[in-house]
Amino acid sequence: TPDLQHELERALEQQDPSGHSTSMPLVVGGFASLVSPLELAGRSQIVAVLQRSIDQAVARFNPLRTTLLVLGIISLLAAVLGSILIAGRITRPINALGEVARHIQDGDYSRSAEVMANDEIGALAASFNHMRDAIAFRESEIRRLAFEDGLTGLPNRAMFNDELERSVKIARRTGSAFSILLMNLDRFTTI
């Protein structure tokens, strides 16, 4: 048709001035066209036009593109889900260790860290429990030595003063009375 001929002539004019074929296909009449001018020895120029529909050419790749898109979305979702699961497995035990540390800071040694797995965090929880037990033992020893006589194991003067102060506060608050019994032992050091 004349319209296609004019469109082809315009496409040829936009090509390389030397008349050689370009590697980019031209669109002529809605089709991807590969235009290749051929020169015969000293004669006029012949132009070969190869045309194919772009939609038909890429139609074979549409299922591949869809498959790649679906695989990309599935991979992204799997990566996000995996990240959430891994973050949960790491943060949950660390938050539990932080909670135990807050209890220890408040002087409560009854709560131990749960050893959930046999990995680095589990080893940290086990070490945390050993540390908690050691601190609790040392603190109870310090308290015992502070309020007991080392020789007899009986309450000492510091414990007497604490108990006296506590009893005075209770008596003032409740309006009740209390008694103190003093006993003297002769030759106590010898005994």
Side-chain angles (χ1 to χ4, degrees), residues 10-179:
R10 272 184 278 144
L12 284 172
E13 288 172 4
Q14 293 174 355
Q15 244 188 344
D16 187 8
S18 65
H20 291 95
S21 172
T22 61
S23 60
M24 292 288 294
L26 302 170
V27 178
V28 178
F31 292 94
S33 305
L34 184 61
V35 178
S36 182
L38 303 170
E39 287 191 32
L40 299 175
R43 297 194 185 166
S44 65
Q45 186 175 352
I46 298 175
V47 177
V49 179
L50 301 173
Q51 290 185 325
R52 184 169 184 185
S53 167
I54 294 175
D55 293 335
Q56 286 178 349
V58 297
R60 291 183 300 164
F61 299 103
N62 286 339
L64 179 62
R65 182 178 53 197
T66 304
T67 303
L68 289 175
L69 182 65
V70 168
L71 286 175
I73 290 171
I74 290 172
S75 299
L76 181 65
L77 290 175
V80 167
L81 183 63
S83 298
I84 290 171
L85 290 174
I86 289 171
R89 288 189 62 180
I90 291 172
T91 57
R92 215 173 298 119
I94 292 195
N95 286 339
L97 287 176
E99 186 66 27
V100 171
R102 281 187 285 282
H103 282 274
I104 291 173
Q105 179 182 355
D106 294 337
D108 178 15
Y109 301 107
S110 63
R111 192 164 177 194
S112 66
E114 185 179 343
V115 180
M116 296 182 193
N118 215 7
D119 57 1
E120 292 86 2
I121 296 176
L124 179 64
S127 296
F128 212 78
N129 287 334
H130 292 303
M131 179 187 71
R132 176 191 59 93
D133 294 339
I135 291 172
F137 175 75
R138 281 189 215 108
E139 192 169 299
S140 69
E141 263 312 288
I142 290 170
R143 195 171 284 126
R144 185 185 68 78
L145 292 173
F147 295 114
E148 286 182 8
D149 182 64
L151 181 63
T152 63
L154 295 173
N156 65 10
R157 188 170 291 162
M159 182 174 236
F160 171 77
N161 289 336
D162 282 352
E163 287 295 320
L164 179 64
E165 186 177 324
R166 190 177 62 81
S167 297
V168 168
K169 286 181 183 176
I170 291 173
R172 283 186 183 153
R173 194 171 11 146
T174 61
S176 61
F178 67 94
S179 302

